[in-house]
Amino acid sequence: MSERPGKPHSVLLRNGTVYSPADPFATAMVVEGDSVAWVGSEGAADSFADGVDEVVDLRGALVTPAFTDAHVHTTATGLALTGLDLTGVPTLAAALDRVRAYAAARPADRVLLGHGWDASAWPGRRPPSRRELDEATGDRPLYLTRADVHSAVVTTALLDLVPGVRELSGFAPDAPLTGDAHHAVRTAAHATVSPAQRAEAQRAALARAAALGIGSVHECAGPLISSEDDFTGLLRLAAEEPGPRVTGYWAERITTPEEAGRIRELGALGAAGDLFVDGSLGSHTACLHEPYADGPGGTGSANLDAAAVAAHVAACTEAGIQAGFHAIGDAALTAVVEGVRAAAEKVGLDRVRAARHRIEHAEMLNPELIAGFAELALTASVQPAFDAAWGGEEGMYAERLGRERARTLNPYAAMLRAGIPLALGSDSPVTPLDPWGTVRAAAFHRTPEHRVSARAAFTAHTRGGWRAVGRDDAGVLVPGAPADYAVWETGDLVVQVPDSRVANWSTDPRSGTPGLPDLTPGAPLPVCLRTVVGGRTVHARPNG
């Protein structure tokens, strides 16, 4: 049916299930242009059928708000999708075989780029040595990041391209590079990626996101992570081509409100994202109050103290932009809470709370820190897939911290009880883009007392991401909201709660609670048939 002149294109979706707080029994939805116009029942849908430009028979499919992934590194994700990805490789020998094959297949690359090794999962638990990588690549430059992207192994040929790297902090003669040495080799390696390669990687990442029902991503960039050209190029590509929305954060410290002008000029919503207060647990660089239980000892890396946090938050608050930090260890999170509290004393608690400053990862939160987050209205941008990958009694967290400390990590239930806003994401390519897997990981946390309902996790992965960027009118299918939605092929819809004292699963329609797919571990996850952003289809599954 052709669109009527002068009118926004209108669509009626019917004969399915629409996940909406406006009507827990909704089976139909009308979209006009880029907004949701109506949600309701099949009977009422008849009155719209003749007045719209298009009618879509859902054939029983589920319609939900599109997901928001609140922490993504888009270009790195695309490079992993299109290049050397060692995620899930079971042994060191298999990893070296894959490096060898990739090097042989890419003879023209100035620097070989790869990602995803995790020696904690390998027999022997050691990363590849520099000698082994030199042999596997034929003495070519190689940059190969650990799964958490906070350390990397490299070849001698890459070190030779970075003058002075052997004198920088974080350099070791034959161990993964961390800190300044890692940042230096990363800058050198990424500088060899051409604009065309970069755009190809960005398109691949955004296409994968759209195919998974992700309608928005938060790009967490910064001078220690990517480049200004990479960041501005991504924002431009997202604005010009169909695909998920991209909200950008640039992780550069400022100390005066006037410096915020530079952040705005880049197109960033805030000076936030991966502004590193510390590093990662896997690389022994997350900053802890007590030493690591394994490895080299020590308490990790403290990159910013409370005073630096306070200066940044105060400047951002006064400039009217979001501040934010990467903080994982309990000592780093203590510095964050103390620093934000000091900023609130300077510029006013109400102003700090209204700014919705955000903290990425926020893994080692104790009750006092949870109370501080709630007091200061800090948004926690968290990644449940971290727990799925590294939690549990025998996981990497327990190895790094000991089982007792590891059991305290990622306390989502306590965070929600305290009123802390959660926004879920993947930190891709650290863990893959996988929204339903992320909701499952939160609902079936490896530590049972930290589990939340599937509904709460789903809300944090949809509406929570919009609220984290200051939008309370989106991420939900109600009249007036942006028409960002996904259509899913799935099985029976159920209502899941984590408390064993009540029924875990219910299909009773009298509850009036919208159902979600069965996310029990092992159950098949929904398949995305279509993703729509602002009323525009950005992904359609063939024959879907």
Side-chain angles (χ1 to χ4, degrees), residues 211 489 527-530 539-544:
E489 179 183 276
V527 174
C528 184
L529 303 177
R530 184 174 298 271
H539 166 75
R541 187 168 183 253
N543 303 316

Side-chain angles (χ1 to χ4, degrees), residues 260-338:
R262 167 176 163 70
I263 306 300
R264 290 192 177 97
E265 287 170 7
L266 290 172
L269 186 65
D274 278 335
L275 183 52
F276 297 119
V277 180
D278 67 347
S280 74
L281 292 165
S283 293
H284 292 96
T285 52
C287 191
L288 314 179
H289 284 305
E290 301 295 333
Y292 283 88
D294 71 331
T299 57
S301 304
N303 300 323
L304 298 176
D305 60 15
V309 169
H312 182 73
V313 171
C316 288
T317 304
E318 291 181 322
I321 65 171
Q322 279 182 291
F325 305 92
H326 161 120
I328 287 177
D330 50 1
L333 288 161
T334 297
V336 165
V337 169
E338 290 178 352

Side-chain angles (χ1 to χ4, degrees), residues 73-399:
H73 303 286
T74 306
T75 303
T77 296
L79 290 172
L81 289 170
T82 59
L84 174 56
D85 187 1
L86 299 184
T87 302
V89 172
T91 66
L92 172 58
L96 290 169
D97 286 344
R98 191 170 291 187
V99 170
R100 194 173 291 110
Y102 185 79
R106 308 282 292 221
D109 287 10
R110 290 172 55 199
V111 175
L112 300 165
L113 301 173
H115 166 74
W117 62 269
D118 184 359
S120 71
W122 294 344
R125 296 177 178 264
R126 75 166 180 86
S129 69
R130 194 158 296 139
R131 179 186 59 78
E132 290 169 327
L133 293 174
D134 288 346
E135 183 278 327
T137 61
D139 294 317
R140 293 171 62 192
L142 167 72
Y143 171 69
L144 189 58
T145 49
R146 189 185 181 280
D148 59 14
V149 200
H150 282 270
S151 59
V153 288
V154 302
T155 56
T156 304
L158 181 57
L159 291 177
D160 291 344
L161 296 177
V162 188
V165 66
R166 292 170 175 84
E167 283 72 53
L168 295 177
S169 63
F171 178 83
D174 195 23
L177 305 183
T178 62
D180 290 342
H182 177 215
H183 296 152
V185 296
R186 173 162 54 193
T187 298
H190 285 177
T192 67
V193 177
S194 71
Q197 285 177 299
R198 191 167 61 225
E200 176 193 13
Q202 292 168 350
R203 289 189 182 98
L206 294 176
R208 174 63 64 88
L212 293 169
I214 297 170
S216 298
V217 299
H218 298 176
E219 166 68 14
C220 292
L224 297 181
I225 302 161
S226 54
S227 68
E228 292 184 13
D229 286 345
D230 180 275
F231 182 65
T232 57
L234 171 63
L235 296 182
R236 185 166 55 251
L237 182 148
E240 294 173 353
E241 300 183 9
R245 303 173 192 263
V246 177
T247 298
Y249 288 98
W250 184 253
E252 185 171 336
R253 281 179 61 195
I254 67 172
T255 56
T256 67
E258 291 71 27
E259 292 176 282
R262 167 176 163 70
I263 306 300
R264 290 192 177 97
E265 287 170 7
L266 290 172
L269 186 65
D274 278 335
L275 183 52
F276 297 119
V277 180
D278 67 347
S280 74
L281 292 165
S283 293
H284 292 96
T285 52
C287 191
L288 314 179
H289 284 305
E290 301 295 333
Y292 283 88
D294 71 331
T299 57
S301 304
N303 300 323
L304 298 176
D305 60 15
V309 169
H312 182 73
V313 171
C316 288
T317 304
E318 291 181 322
I321 65 171
Q322 279 182 291
F325 305 92
H326 161 120
I328 287 177
D330 50 1
L333 288 161
T334 297
V336 165
V337 169
E338 290 178 352
V340 178
R341 190 174 284 131
E345 292 172 358
K346 177 182 178 183
V347 302
L349 178 60
D350 288 346
R351 292 179 69 190
V352 164
R353 289 174 60 88
R356 303 191 191 192
H357 302 309
R358 51 187 286 171
I359 312 302
E360 310 301 315
H361 317 310
E363 293 200 77
M364 291 186 71
L365 286 173
N366 58 35
E368 292 75 23
L369 291 170
I370 289 174
F373 266 55
E375 169 200 352
L376 299 164
L378 297 174
T379 294
S381 168
V382 298
Q383 296 74 40
F386 288 7
D387 174 74
W390 302 309
E393 294 291 297
E394 306 300 329
M396 182 270 286
Y397 289 158
E399 182 178 328

Side-chain angles (χ1 to χ4, degrees), residues 451-479:
R451 294 174 179 171
V452 299
S453 71
R455 185 184 186 193
F458 180 80
T459 298
H461 212 351
T462 50
R463 197 169 194 179
W466 282 93
R467 286 173 166 167
V469 299
R471 291 281 301 273
D472 294 330
D473 62 334
V476 61
L477 298 180
V478 297

